[in-house]
């Protein structure tokens, strides 16, 4: 990984880099459906491959970082863009 956060062709967000650099003391992993899960840390929540299923209550005061591993119907749904209407800090 270089200073810009580039790793294997992808970009790690500032939230990810800050969490890695400062060390987190809390982690909660929640399975949602199929390939979807969330990882809640002290300051952020990471949501992976959401396409359906009930989301757990995500704290609004934490940054929400949404990842889609690829554009297959069972790993991505445009509904994730609506999360920006509900959460103030979505990446």
């Amino acid at each position: 990984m270089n200073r810009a956060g580039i790793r294997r062709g992808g970009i790690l967000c500032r939230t990810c880099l800050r969490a890695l650099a400062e060390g987190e003391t809390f982690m909660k992993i929640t399975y949602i459906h199929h390939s979807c899960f969330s990882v809640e840390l002290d300051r952020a929540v990471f949501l992976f491959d959401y396409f359906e299923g009930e989301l757990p209550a995500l704290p609004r005061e934490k940054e929400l970082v949404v990842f889609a591993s690829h554009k297959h119907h069972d790993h991505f749904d445009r509904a994730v863009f609506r999360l920006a209407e509900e959460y103030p800090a979505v990446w």
Side-chain angles (χ1 to χ4, degrees):
M1 180 183 327
N2 65 23
R3 294 188 71 164
I6 306 297
R7 180 178 180 214
R8 296 185 190 174
I11 297 175
L12 291 176
C13 66
R14 281 185 228 143
T15 301
C16 301
L17 294 174
R18 188 171 56 237
L20 292 171
E22 296 176 6
E24 294 287 329
T25 59
F26 170 80
M27 179 184 289
K28 177 182 174 185
I29 300 173
T30 304
Y31 172 77
I32 297 170
H33 179 67
H34 184 57
S35 62
C36 180
F37 61 96
S38 66
V39 178
E40 183 179 348
L41 302 175
D42 290 327
R43 292 177 295 263
V45 178
F46 300 96
L47 180 62
F48 295 89
D49 284 350
Y50 177 76
F51 77 101
E52 70 178 23
E54 186 175 336
L55 289 175
L58 303 172
R60 295 192 190 312
E61 68 276 3
K62 296 183 180 186
E63 292 182 76
L64 177 60
V65 183
V66 180
F67 295 91
S69 62
H70 57 286
K71 195 178 173 183
H72 284 168
H73 72 280
D74 61 343
H75 291 261
F76 172 79
D77 189 306
R78 291 188 178 275
V80 298
F81 294 118
R82 289 195 300 264
L83 292 171
E85 298 169 3
E86 300 174 42
Y87 296 92
V90 178
W91 303 94

